[in-house]
Amino acid sequence: MKKALLITTILSLIGVMSFAQKPNNVVWSIGKADQSPNEFALAPDGFKNFVGNDFGYEDKFYLVNYSHERKDFPYVLPGIVDTWGGTYQWSGWRNNNINILFGINNQPTAGNYKLVIRLSDYAKKFLPQIKVSINNFDKFIQLSAEGYDAAKQAVASKMEPTVDSLSLMGDLSKATPKILEIPIDAGVLRKGGNIIHLTVLRGSWIMFDGITLESDKKVDVQTPGDFFIKAVKPATYEIENDGKQFQPLLINIQHLKGLPKMTVLLDDQPVFNEIVEQGNYDFEVPMPALLSPKNSTYKILENGILIQSGQVKRSKQTTQTLADYVDTRLGTAHSRWMIAPGPWMPFSMVKMSPDNQNAGWQAGYDPIYESVGTFSHIHEWTMGGLGIFASNGKLKTTIGDELHPGSGYGSRIDKRGEKAGIGLYEVMLTDYNIKAEVTATTRCGFERFTFPKDRDSSRILIDLHIPSEYDYQLKEIQLKKVSDYRIEGFAHQLTPTVWSNDADQDYTVYFVIEFDQPIKNLGAWIDDKLKSGDFF
C-alpha cells in the first residue's frame, strides 16, 4: 500500500560472476580473446578519431553475422570524462554508446546463458562505471583496480587531459585485463531481434578484447538479409484512420542495403506493404481494433520471402493523439538551462522540470543521468529557483553531485519508467520508492508524490538555492506557515554581472505552497545547519 501527497505551488554489483554449470557453446562472438584489441576499428592507436568516425551515437550498431569488427566496432569506448570522446567545456558531458544487434530464429529455452565482455584494459584515474542493457534487463558494473578507489577519485572537469594513454596508444605492457560475466535469464532473450547496449555512465574509457554470448543450449542466430527486424509488439494504443479504429502492430526495422519491400500478413491476410529505405523505422502496421481480446498470427516477408512470424495479443486500447507521440526529453542532452523536459505552458510564469546536474554551464536536465536532484519551478535564461522534492529515511540537506548518486537528497530513478510527454513528467525515485508526478498550468506547479508505507518517514524538501546555470545569492528569504495545509514566502535572488559587468539579475520569487494533507512538523536548514521550527 502507498499513500499519495499532492502539492500545489503557485507561480552495483561489480566483478566477475559465474554459473554452477558453465555454458560451453559460443552463440556468437565479436573479436578474438587474445588480450589485444587490434582486430577492432581504430586500433591500435586511433582513439582520437572516435567521434570523427561517427562512433558512439545511438544510430550506430554492430549486427552479428553482418557487420565487421575492423569497420564497425571500435576498440575503445570513451567515458564521459574523455574530451576525445566528445566531452568539452561548451558541449557538456557526452556519453557514448555501442549497440550490438542479433537475431534468434528459435525461442530460447531454459538453460544457462551469459554475456562475456573481455577488456584488454580500462582507465584507472577515473574508474569506469558501465551500464549493460540486454533487451529489458539492465546491469551496472563499477570497475575497480588495486590502489584505486572510485569513491575517492578526483572530481573530473570537462576539459580533462587524456588519461592512462599508454594502452590507448597501442602499448599494452602495463594493461590490466578484465573479464565481466553477466548471467542472463532465458526470458530476457527473445525470438527475433535482440539488442545489447553498452555505455560508460561515469568515469573514463574501456578497451575491448572480445565479446561473446554463451549458452549450454543451442541457439540459432539469424543471418540478416536487406533489413533487420529489431522488435515486434502490439501498441498500447489505438489510432483512427478514415473513421476506423486500429491497434498498430509496431515493427522496428533497421535498413541494411538496397530497397527491399516489406510485407506484413495478419492472420494470413496482407495488411501492410512498404519499401524500406535507409535508416531506422518504427512502422505502425494497422490491425483492426477489437472489443474483446484475441490472439492473432503475423508474418513478415522481405521481398516476398518469409523471414519472421509469431503471435500477437490484440485487445481494446485507448485512442492516441498526435500529442501522445511527443517525448519532451528530445534535445535536452548537452543543452542549456532553459531547454528541459518540462512540463510547462507557453509563456507561463511557472516552468517545472526535473533537475539532475550540478550548477554551471548547461545545468538543469540531461538524459544521460539516471537520477533527479529536485523539481524546480523556473527555467528561464539567467533565472532559476524554488526546488521541491520528496524523500524519506535519513534527512539530507544537500542535493548531491551529478556524478555520485546518493551523495545528497537527490535520488536514482527508474530510467525505463521515466515518462516525459506533453504536460506531465513522471518517474520513480528508486532510492525512496516514491513515485513522482509533475505538471503545471500557466501560474501553478502541481506535484504528486506517492510514498511507501513501509518507510520510517515521509517529507517534502523546499530548497530555495538550487543548482542552476547562473548561480544566485539569496539576499532575503521568508517562509511562513499560515495553516496546516499552506506555506507562504518569498526569496529575493541576485545574480551579479550575469552577462556583462554592468548587468545584475535582481528579482524576487514569491510563492504559496499548498498540501492536500496536514503538515505534522516543520524544520529548516541554512548552509547544512538545521534550524528549529520557530524559524518560521
Side-chain angles (χ1 to χ4, degrees):
M1 295 291 292
K2 294 192 173 186
K3 53 184 178 180
L5 174 65
L6 180 65
I7 302 174
T8 306
T9 307
I10 301 181
L11 189 25
S12 183
L13 192 62
I14 68 172
V16 178
M17 306 182 71
S18 61
F19 295 97
Q21 178 185 357
K22 293 186 178 180
N24 51 19
N25 297 321
V26 174
V27 177
W28 52 255
S29 64
I30 304 172
K32 297 175 292 186
D34 55 2
Q35 296 188 9
S36 168
N38 287 342
E39 66 270 26
F40 296 115
L42 305 179
D45 58 0
F47 66 98
K48 291 186 178 179
N49 297 319
F50 186 90
V51 175
N53 282 268
D54 289 333
F55 284 118
Y57 293 99
E58 290 84 353
D59 60 347
K60 294 286 284 191
F61 61 88
Y62 180 96
L63 176 56
V64 173
N65 288 342
Y66 178 82
S67 302
H68 303 281
E69 290 100 334
R70 192 63 187 168
K71 175 178 175 289
D72 301 313
F73 201 101
Y75 80 113
V76 64
L77 177 64
I80 64 170
V81 309
D82 296 312
T83 54
W84 53 269
T87 289
Y88 198 70
Q89 179 179 358
W90 304 117
S91 60
W93 301 114
R94 180 192 165 191
N95 69 324
N96 287 277
N97 311 280
I98 286 181
N99 300 296
I100 302 172
L101 313 180
F102 63 99
I104 298 177
N105 288 319
N106 56 301
Q107 180 62 45
T109 58
N112 293 323
Y113 301 84
K114 66 178 178 179
L115 180 69
V116 181
I117 303 173
R118 292 177 171 84
L119 302 179
S120 296
D121 198 9
Y122 55 98
K124 308 302 187 303
K125 181 178 179 180
F126 300 108
L127 288 165
Q129 186 195 59
I130 308 168
K131 180 181 179 181
V132 183
S133 298
I134 308 166
N135 294 332
N136 293 320
F137 169 75
D138 297 326
K139 181 71 175 179
F140 299 85
I141 303 172
Q142 175 63 62
L143 294 184
S144 60
E146 186 176 354
Y148 296 87
D149 185 347
K152 297 179 180 179
Q153 64 190 19
V155 176
S157 73
K158 293 176 183 174
M159 297 183 67
E160 285 290 337
T162 302
V163 297
D164 306 313
S165 60
L166 195 64
S167 292
L168 292 177
M169 297 298 294
D171 184 351
L172 299 178
S173 60
K174 296 184 179 180
T176 307
K178 191 85 166 182
I179 299 177
L180 310 175
E181 297 187 353
I182 303 173
I184 307 171
D185 187 272
V188 171
L189 301 175
R190 60 196 181 207
K191 178 183 177 181
N194 294 263
I195 303 174
I196 296 175
H197 177 85
L198 307 176
T199 190
V200 178
L201 290 178
R202 295 199 293 274
S204 190
W205 55 266
I206 58 175
M207 183 184 295
F208 296 103
D209 182 24
I211 301 179
T212 58
L213 178 66
E214 301 178 10
S215 175
D216 61 351
K217 301 295 183 181
K218 180 175 176 53
V219 180
D220 185 16
V221 180
Q222 294 177 0
T223 299
D226 292 346
F227 60 78
F228 175 72
I229 304 171
K230 296 169 72 172
V232 180
K233 62 180 180 180
T236 57
Y237 58 87
E238 292 180 9
I239 57 176
E240 183 180 344
N241 188 16
D242 292 333
K244 298 180 180 180
Q245 292 290 116
F246 296 92
Q247 179 189 9
L249 178 64
L250 301 178
I251 303 179
N252 185 251
I253 296 288
Q254 177 62 57
H255 173 273
L256 299 177
K257 57 185 178 181
L259 290 173
K261 180 181 179 181
M262 182 181 74
T263 302
V264 181
L265 306 181
L266 183 68
D267 294 329
D268 290 323
Q269 298 298 313
V271 293
F272 191 78
N273 288 285
E274 188 71 37
I275 298 297
V276 181
E277 299 180 344
Q278 185 173 356
N280 185 80
Y281 297 87
D282 276 309
F283 288 113
E284 291 182 316
V285 175
M287 301 186 297
L290 301 174
L291 295 177
S292 302
K294 176 184 177 181
N295 289 333
S296 292
T297 60
Y298 72 86
K299 295 179 180 178
I300 302 175
L301 286 69
E302 177 187 286
N303 295 325
I305 300 174
L306 178 66
I307 60 171
Q308 184 169 317
S309 63
Q311 294 270 328
V312 57
K313 294 181 179 180
R314 302 162 61 189
S315 59
K316 179 64 179 175
Q317 304 291 332
T318 57
T319 300
Q320 175 149 296
T321 69
L322 292 177
D324 295 319
Y325 290 95
V326 175
D327 185 342
T328 58
R329 292 169 295 184
L330 294 175
T332 59
H334 328 304
S335 68
R336 298 289 302 277
W337 171 251
M338 53 283 192
I339 303 172
W344 57 55
M345 299 286 286
F347 308 108
S348 58
M349 292 179 64
V350 174
K351 290 190 173 181
M352 298 291 302
S353 185
D355 300 329
N356 59 14
Q357 294 177 277
N358 293 343
W361 183 260
Q362 297 188 335
Y365 176 89
D366 195 305
I368 71 171
Y369 297 113
E370 304 201 358
S371 61
V372 168
T374 191
F375 300 98
S376 67
H377 287 67
I378 304 170
H379 289 83
E380 295 287 0
W381 181 47
T382 74
M383 299 176 67
L386 189 56
I388 291 185
F389 202 66
S391 74
N392 48 39
K394 182 180 179 180
L395 174 64
K396 297 179 182 179
T397 56
T398 58
I399 202 166
D401 187 271
E402 62 189 10
L403 297 181
H404 298 284
S407 58
Y409 66 70
S411 174
R412 299 169 184 86
I413 63 173
D414 174 12
K415 195 67 177 177
R416 290 189 182 275
E418 184 183 34
K419 298 179 182 178
I422 294 178
L424 177 66
Y425 177 87
E426 178 182 324
V427 76
M428 195 72 185
L429 308 175
T430 55
D431 286 352
Y432 306 115
N433 195 25
I434 294 173
K435 181 180 180 181
E437 299 167 278
V438 179
T439 190
T441 69
T442 54
R443 293 177 175 82
C444 303
F446 290 85
E447 294 133 288
R448 179 165 59 193
F449 298 108
T450 304
F451 292 84
K453 284 190 173 182
D454 60 352
R455 300 293 178 96
D456 61 0
S457 58
S458 299
R459 70 175 68 88
I460 299 297
L461 302 172
I462 304 171
D463 199 335
L464 299 181
H465 189 199
I466 61 167
S468 58
E469 190 171 65
Y470 287 83
D471 195 14
Y472 55 89
Q473 304 168 11
L474 292 174
K475 304 297 291 183
E476 182 184 3
I477 60 174
Q478 185 180 102
L479 289 92
K480 181 180 180 182
K481 177 184 173 184
V482 297
S483 75
D484 286 343
Y485 296 87
R486 182 172 173 131
I487 294 173
E488 297 178 357
F490 69 83
H492 179 191
Q493 302 180 184
L494 172 66
T495 303
T497 61
V498 67
W499 65 83
S500 66
N501 292 331
D502 60 348
D504 294 345
Q505 185 67 283
D506 191 336
Y507 57 103
T508 300
V509 179
Y510 296 91
F511 54 85
V512 174
I513 303 174
E514 293 183 342
F515 301 85
D516 70 340
Q517 295 184 31
I519 301 169
K520 291 185 177 180
N521 54 66
L522 286 172
W525 75 90
I526 298 179
D527 296 331
D528 281 343
K529 295 181 180 179
L530 296 179
K531 300 291 183 178
S532 61
D534 59 10
F535 176 80
F536 296 90

